[in-house]
Amino acid sequence: MSARKNGEKTERDGRGRFGPGNPGRPKGARHKATRTAEALLDGEAEALTRKAIEAALGGDTTALRLCLDRILPARKGRPVQFEIGALENTQDLAGASRRLLEAVANGDLTPEEAQAVGSVIEATRRMLETEELERRISVLEGRT
């Protein structure tokens, strides 16, 4: 048996190895340097923000970029124009998947955009499948 930093005991197996899990820092614990930096900045956020804005207005391009990144952050994605059609049954899903593949092949959508749309199609497939299974179970149990 071995002691952890926090005083808890940990078990080792026959070869002397620790069991599963990480006996290190507890989840959510902050590093000492992070806590120190937060303590130093505590109460200074308003003054630092004002100083950054003044520097940006004075022509400091780094401060300007920092301020603009906070006001208008870079977009992670863009709206995708893609005619998906109704998704009410498996035939609709198959057609939508084919149209999605064609859009990528034609260069209308990037593979990443198609992957995002494909995940919506997949979620719809799971929903339709669940609805179908619930309907079948109801029929089998005589609850129709």
Side-chain angles (χ1 to χ4, degrees), residues 64-87:
L64 179 60
R65 185 172 28 256
L66 176 69
C67 291
L68 286 176
D69 284 347
R70 290 293 176 181
I71 294 168
L72 187 64
R75 291 183 69 162
K76 300 277 189 223
R78 66 177 181 92
V80 175
Q81 298 296 318
F82 176 72
E83 184 60 42
I84 199 165
L87 299 177

Side-chain angles (χ1 to χ4, degrees), residues 28-46 48:
R30 294 180 160 211
H31 191 274
K32 183 179 177 182
T34 302
R35 292 192 316 263
T36 302
E38 287 174 346
L40 290 171
L41 291 172
D42 190 34
E44 300 295 334
E46 187 176 333
L48 289 170

Side-chain angles (χ1 to χ4, degrees), residues 14 27 31 36 43 49 58 90 95 97 105 120 124 134 141 143-144:
K27 198 171 200 129
H31 191 274
T36 302
T49 302
T90 54
S97 293
V120 172
T124 304
E134 286 176 351
E141 291 178 347
R143 291 188 283 166
T144 51

Side-chain angles (χ1 to χ4, degrees), residues 43-119:
E44 300 295 334
E46 187 176 333
L48 289 170
T49 302
R50 172 60 36 213
K51 189 74 169 173
I53 292 170
E54 289 170 4
L57 292 172
D60 184 333
T61 57
T62 302
L64 179 60
R65 185 172 28 256
L66 176 69
C67 291
L68 286 176
D69 284 347
R70 290 293 176 181
I71 294 168
L72 187 64
R75 291 183 69 162
K76 300 277 189 223
R78 66 177 181 92
V80 175
Q81 298 296 318
F82 176 72
E83 184 60 42
I84 199 165
L87 299 177
E88 297 175 5
N89 55 48
T90 54
Q91 291 81 19
D92 293 343
L93 294 170
S97 293
R98 278 193 294 278
R99 288 190 298 281
L100 185 61
L101 183 59
E102 289 170 6
V104 173
N106 294 336
D108 298 329
L109 293 177
T110 67
E112 293 79 15
E113 291 167 339
Q115 185 176 18
V117 173
S119 68

